[in-house]
Amino acid sequence: MAARRDRTHYLYLAVIGAVLLGVAVGFLAPGVAVELKPLGTGFVNLIKMMISPIIFCTIVLGVGSVRKAAKVGAVGGLALGYFLVMSTVALAIGLVVGNLLEPGSGLHLTKELAEAGAQQAEGASESTPDFLLGIIPTTLVSAFTGGEVLQTLLVALLAGFALQAMGPAGEPVLRGIGHIQRLVFRILGMIMWAAPVGAFGAIAAVVGATGVDALKSLAVIMIGFYLTCALFVFVVLGALLRLVAGVNIWALLKYLGREFLLILSTSSSESALPRLIAKMEHLGVSKPVVGITVPTGYSFNLDGTAIYLTMASLFVAEAMGDPLSVGEQISLLVFMIIASKGAAGVTGAGLATLAGGLQSHRPDLVDGVGLIVGIDRFMSEARALTNFAGNAVATVLVGTWTKEIDRERVAEVLAGKVPFDEKTLVDEHGGHADRAGTVPDPRDQGEERARAGV
């Protein structure tokens, strides 16, 4: 067991080294660095390849093993209500900080930047009916091939409820899906060994393409955005997590440290979605709560994106010399929160949402989006990290509210007494929900872990 942990420890040290090397190559040989972008894209695509099967298996096992459908509805309703409240809080914080900083004043819009802003707005808008219809896949199988999280979520919920209704006749199917889940997680564990190569290519390409000039001129909005995200995570989410679940935010973030490193190097929170599902179950949150809250949160719990959209809108308006009134700020940004569903895990989606929102409400400001194009890739790091932290906290909170969390298990895992299996990514010895979707007796867990030699 120790040797296995050591090998994965070296893997993530290699990721850190690859990031530093990528930054150096980006500065010293920008032309070569830009050509390395396919390395990062290829790695993220490998991770995305695994997302649909992992979400499907997790949700089907979680929903199918619960005896009462009402429990699933209660978890989903509670999660969506929480997501709405926290998105509003994040939006309000972004507005306050953005109005205090007044970023964007003193910048000038060139013709090239205006064209870049207009390009981002093309095809960015999507009506509500289009969004809702887009949740329904063309076929039952196309949800897996299209890479759409919400489509996979819908098919998995239908399959889970169907197996739930089948009763004992559905048990063999559930066992089969459990075996498939272990296979999928094992494949993901193999893919993770390509992380250093992907991190090197992604970081080198963005540093080579952006350079230092854009960062210097736009440092205020970048630093302000990062500080605002940190304030939201450590103060707002930290206080909520401590009050509701009695969990220290630092301990939870430390437990998810490798996932944060992965997001930082790929700039996509989707790259860590499968590992978040595995780690939340290992932490002691039940399968139904994890299976519903995490995938749904990736589409509806966009705390980092909310903060970004508020601050970026104010930045563009200030830079264009036409600041938004309070009424315009509220109407525009509420629209953007609705329009941004499903964009959490995709690099650059926040920029397209920003352009689309301005196109709908203030077309005269769309050209100003070009001002932020140069640093959007760096801001997307903080967006993705904040979205990920928000979903991790949400899972623990929903588990606490629904009494679907093993508090003793949480304490042991966060204390490092029950290490996460980096090789299989699956907790083979209990530690989360049992077949009925309830939290197992801690005494039974202790006996199981003793027999497992943990």
Side-chain angles (χ1 to χ4, degrees), residues 39-117:
L39 294 176
T41 304
F43 174 71
V44 174
N45 288 345
L46 281 172
I47 298 290
K48 288 182 178 180
M49 174 181 74
M50 308 305 299
I51 288 176
S52 288
I54 286 173
I55 287 178
F56 179 79
C57 292
T58 303
I59 293 179
V60 170
L61 289 172
V63 175
S65 61
V66 179
R67 296 298 171 233
K68 295 182 179 180
K71 179 186 288 187
V72 177
V75 172
L78 186 61
L80 286 173
Y82 170 80
F83 296 158
L84 179 63
V85 172
M86 293 314 294
S87 292
T88 305
V89 172
L91 186 152
I93 290 174
L95 276 179
V96 171
V97 176
N99 280 292
L100 288 175
L101 285 180
E102 294 187 352
S105 54
L107 288 177
H108 301 287
L109 186 67
T110 65
K111 183 179 179 181
E112 292 77 12
L113 290 175
E115 291 174 353

Side-chain angles (χ1 to χ4, degrees), residues 201-222:
I203 294 295
V206 71
V207 173
T210 308
V212 185
D213 295 337
L215 306 185
K216 288 181 179 177
S217 62
L218 300 169
V220 174
I221 180 67
M222 277 183 60

Side-chain angles (χ1 to χ4, degrees), residues 81-407:
Y82 170 80
F83 296 158
L84 179 63
V85 172
M86 293 314 294
S87 292
T88 305
V89 172
L91 186 152
I93 290 174
L95 276 179
V96 171
V97 176
N99 280 292
L100 288 175
L101 285 180
E102 294 187 352
S105 54
L107 288 177
H108 301 287
L109 186 67
T110 65
K111 183 179 179 181
E112 292 77 12
L113 290 175
E115 291 174 353
Q119 184 180 355
Q120 287 294 331
E122 291 180 5
S125 300
E126 183 182 36
S127 66
T128 302
D130 288 339
F131 168 74
L132 294 175
L133 289 174
I135 298 176
I136 304 173
T138 307
T139 68
L140 198 65
V141 182
S142 65
F144 302 99
T145 59
E148 295 288 340
V149 172
L150 289 179
Q151 291 184 1
T152 306
L153 184 66
L154 174 64
V155 172
L157 284 172
L158 291 174
F161 282 123
L163 286 169
Q164 187 183 80
M166 289 169 66
E171 292 291 329
V173 180
L174 282 172
R175 283 197 297 272
I177 292 175
H179 291 308
I180 293 173
Q181 183 190 48
R182 282 192 286 274
L183 169 65
V184 169
F185 274 125
R186 181 60 67 96
I187 294 173
L188 178 67
M190 294 163 60
I191 290 174
M192 290 308 302
W193 286 95
V197 178
F200 170 69
I203 294 295
V206 71
V207 173
T210 308
V212 185
D213 295 337
L215 306 185
K216 288 181 179 177
S217 62
L218 300 169
V220 174
I221 180 67
M222 277 183 60
I223 294 172
F225 177 59
Y226 269 78
L227 290 177
T228 305
C229 288
L231 174 73
F232 178 79
V233 171
F234 293 108
V235 176
V236 178
L237 294 182
L240 199 56
L241 189 64
R242 171 62 77 179
L243 289 173
V244 174
V247 175
N248 185 289
I249 185 73
W250 289 100
L252 181 63
L253 298 185
K254 180 183 177 184
Y255 171 62
L256 298 169
R258 293 184 172 184
E259 287 67 44
F260 283 112
L261 176 59
L262 185 62
I263 294 170
L264 193 64
S265 58
T266 61
S267 191
S268 171
S269 57
E270 260 191 9
S271 62
L273 169 58
R275 289 178 59 88
L276 179 61
I277 290 174
K279 279 205 161 181
M280 286 294 102
E281 288 188 7
H282 176 76
L283 184 65
V285 185
S286 74
K287 274 183 177 291
V289 171
V290 174
I292 294 167
T293 306
V294 174
T296 308
Y298 260 68
S299 291
F300 294 95
N301 191 30
L302 311 177
D303 300 330
T305 305
I307 295 171
Y308 166 80
L309 292 173
T310 55
M311 295 187 69
S313 299
L314 296 175
F315 168 80
V316 169
E318 287 279 348
M320 297 288 284
D322 191 9
L324 297 168
S325 66
V326 175
E328 286 176 329
Q329 289 179 27
I330 294 173
S331 64
L332 171 65
L333 300 172
V334 167
F335 167 83
M336 286 182 170
I337 296 304
I338 297 171
S340 65
K341 290 181 178 64
V346 184
T347 304
L351 191 63
T353 304
L354 171 66
L358 290 174
Q359 179 72 52
S360 301
H361 283 64
R362 286 285 299 274
D364 56 307
L365 296 180
V366 171
D367 288 348
V369 175
L371 287 165
I372 215 166
V373 169
I375 59 162
D376 179 74
R377 172 60 170 74
F378 289 94
M379 295 178 74
S380 71
E381 312 275 6
R383 275 205 306 272
L385 291 170
T386 306
N387 287 337
F388 183 81
N391 283 316
V393 171
T395 306
V396 175
L397 292 178
V398 173
T400 302
W401 285 323
T402 56
K403 296 180 172 60
E404 291 284 314
I405 190 170
D406 181 351
R407 290 178 178 271

